[in-house]
Amino acid sequence: MATNLDTLLSRLYSASLLDGGLTGVLSDLGAAYPDLPLSYQAQCVFRNSLYEGAVFNYGPNALEEISAAESPNPFPPIALKCSLNRVAVTSDHIPPDDIERSDFFDEHLRKHGEINRALGIILHRQGQDSAFIAANLPKRLKQREEDHILRLFETLRPHLQGAFRLLMEVKQREVKLQTGGFWLEQIPTAAFAVTPDYKVLQMNSHANKMTKAARHLQLDRSVRLCTVNRSAQRVLEASLHKAHDVQRPIGPISLTSGKQGGPLLFVIPVRFQDQMHPSLAPFLRHSMPLLVTVFDPSDTPLSSNKALKMAFGITDGESRLLQELIRGGSLRDAANRLEISYHTARNQLASTTSKTGTRSQTEIVRRASELLSRMSTPTVLNSFSKLASEKNGPN
């Protein structure tokens, strides 16, 4: 095994960067020990919610079986109790006999060599989330063989943890690079990149002008985003917290207690984790920035088409379809009026609901209507007047 171990260590760090994770190295380890079930998991251990996983030497569909298991897996919570400075031994926390009496053993572990204990390397831990690699030991495995696996894991532990930290550092630097202010200037209204605790990382020139005027938003001494009155501050804070917690766009939200023509707030999670290995997402999302945009209709009159495109981040075609749906009728009617196929209209609607975090045509039409009703511009008012006359018919 010395040659295989040297090979593993030699490609460990490069593989973590080039492959975006450690599953390639774990695959090599599984090939060297074909009778040893191995697993890699990143998950919330209390909810048994698996973010990313890979298994080797289990047989087909094992990972799907683990994810779909109705009974709780007794092994993952142990990851929160173990030191990162040594190999975790599950039998120190749960006796193998207790594992064999669990429902998860009958549901899953029995069919894979009667696994009743494991050795684990905790790669990273943050809150209830943990990433770890485990050698899952069948009941038939003898003590001499278990001791050999333990020594192997003790050798691999610092290297695997180091490779995971390296991958985390690289991705964190990518996030910092991408949160630079240059892309904010492409947004034609006030836009801020902020942390979940309101600290402003970057802002564009429109936002700088707004904060200096201190009309709606401003910066406090800690460079945190704040508002000019308490009720608006509560709205701002609640919006940031909700967008961060649910990882979905929030808005439009009025900063002026429902007054017509006032500023509208939108908060959008910056989803850089979509570009990274899924196993890193639970550990990096806590520091991911939020995009805060403020639309003030009194600054620049906007057409309804431009308002929808800017507010929801949708394309010109998607905006036109949404306006047709607001005017009433079915999706097929809107497609006919726009002279596009029903299939194209369905795809545009699906894209719009995905971008806005809405779940149905009714919900996105309602949100768009609320947005446009607050945009007190002649173009929008004329559009709504026309809509009202069409619905009401001739007197």
Side-chain angles (χ1 to χ4, degrees):
M1 179 60 195
T3 303
N4 291 333
L5 181 58
D6 290 341
T7 302
L8 282 173
L9 294 179
S10 66
R11 69 182 297 265
L12 184 57
Y13 291 92
S14 60
S16 67
L17 296 177
L18 297 176
D19 300 340
L22 300 177
T23 53
V25 175
L26 197 59
S27 175
D28 292 344
L29 186 62
Y33 289 86
D35 296 326
L36 180 65
L38 296 169
S39 63
Y40 166 71
Q41 292 168 251
Q43 67 180 99
C44 177
V45 297
F46 284 145
R47 293 197 310 267
N48 274 314
S49 176
L50 185 67
Y51 302 123
E52 174 72 3
V55 295
F56 302 90
N57 302 333
Y58 269 90
N61 303 320
L63 187 61
E64 290 78 5
E65 292 176 8
I66 294 175
S67 302
E70 296 182 2
S71 52
N73 185 342
F75 288 135
I78 297 175
L80 300 186
K81 305 175 184 178
C82 301
S83 169
L84 274 70
N85 298 321
R86 56 183 297 237
V87 175
V89 180
T90 63
S91 56
D92 292 342
H93 301 273
I94 304 179
D97 290 345
D98 290 351
I99 295 294
E100 294 176 32
R101 286 192 290 267
S102 69
D103 292 336
F104 189 78
F105 181 85
D106 292 332
E107 188 175 357
H108 179 72
L109 299 178
R110 186 185 297 277
K111 71 177 73 173
H112 297 289
E114 297 185 309
I115 294 170
N116 63 2
R117 62 203 190 281
L119 303 175
I121 297 172
I122 314 302
L123 300 172
H124 191 74
R125 188 167 57 203
Q126 186 169 298
Q128 296 182 1
D129 295 324
S130 181
F132 53 89
I133 288 174
N136 303 287
L137 309 181
K139 187 176 181 178
R140 65 177 182 274
L141 197 72
K142 297 179 180 179
Q143 186 63 49
R144 177 174 57 83
E145 296 168 316
E146 181 176 343
D147 291 342
H148 174 75
I149 300 299
L150 176 60
R151 290 193 297 271
L152 173 66
F153 266 41
E154 287 173 341
T155 301
L156 291 176
R157 181 191 60 78
H159 300 284
L160 288 167
Q161 290 174 335
F164 195 85
R165 284 195 299 268
L166 176 62
L167 185 57
M168 288 275 290
E169 175 65 23
V170 168
K171 294 303 180 182
Q172 285 173 332
R173 291 187 180 187
E174 289 179 3
V175 168
K176 290 178 181 178
L177 177 64
Q178 294 183 69
T179 54
F182 68 93
W183 60 276
L184 291 176
E185 290 298 337
Q186 308 304 311
I187 302 175
T189 188
F192 305 82
V194 304
T195 64
D197 61 349
Y198 332 133
K199 187 173 182 180
V200 175
L201 301 173
Q202 299 286 346
M203 60 182 172
N204 64 9
S205 55
H206 299 287
N208 186 46
K209 181 180 178 181
M210 174 179 285
T211 56
K212 287 184 176 179
R215 285 192 299 163
H216 307 301
L217 293 174
Q218 57 190 37
L219 304 182
D220 64 14
R221 293 181 179 179
S222 301
V223 199
R224 282 178 164 77
L225 200 60
C226 60
T227 62
V228 295
N229 62 69
R230 291 184 179 179
S231 61
Q233 182 67 28
R234 288 194 293 269
V235 170
L236 173 65
E237 293 176 2
S239 302
L240 290 171
H241 283 303
K242 185 174 181 180
H244 177 252
D245 290 342
V246 303
Q247 285 293 293
R248 293 176 64 181
I250 302 298
I253 298 170
S254 175
L255 288 176
T256 54
S257 303
K259 294 180 181 179
Q260 291 289 328
L264 300 174
L265 180 76
F266 297 82
V267 185
I268 304 172
V270 180
R271 298 175 181 270
F272 290 132
Q273 61 261 47
D274 291 342
Q275 304 169 14
M276 66 181 63
H277 198 275
S279 62
L280 300 178
F283 309 115
L284 291 179
R285 68 173 177 228
H286 303 284
S287 59
M288 289 291 177
L290 299 166
L291 173 63
V292 177
T293 57
V294 182
F295 296 91
D296 189 352
S298 63
D299 288 342
T300 305
L302 297 174
S303 68
S304 55
N305 183 57
K306 189 173 182 181
L308 292 174
K309 287 172 59 179
M310 291 170 57
F312 295 140
I314 58 180
T315 66
D316 189 67
E318 291 163 355
S319 176
R320 289 197 299 269
L321 175 65
L322 187 50
Q323 290 176 85
E324 290 297 332
L325 293 175
I326 292 173
R327 293 188 176 97
S330 67
L331 181 61
R332 192 174 295 278
D333 292 336
N336 290 336
R337 291 195 295 266
L338 291 170
E339 298 182 348
I340 61 176
S341 69
Y342 179 65
H343 178 72
T344 298
R346 285 185 59 187
N347 288 341
Q348 289 181 344
L349 178 61
S351 176
T352 301
T353 54
S354 175
K355 291 176 181 178
T356 56
T358 51
R359 300 181 181 179
S360 65
Q361 177 179 326
T362 301
E363 185 179 357
I364 183 57
V365 168
R366 176 184 60 78
R367 285 186 58 186
S369 300
E370 291 175 353
L371 168 67
L372 295 182
S373 67
R374 292 186 174 123
M375 296 290 191
S376 55
T377 67
T379 302
V380 176
L381 291 178
N382 290 339
S383 175
F384 272 83
S385 297
K386 180 180 178 182
L387 172 60
S389 64
E390 289 174 353
K391 285 188 174 181
N392 294 332
N395 292 330

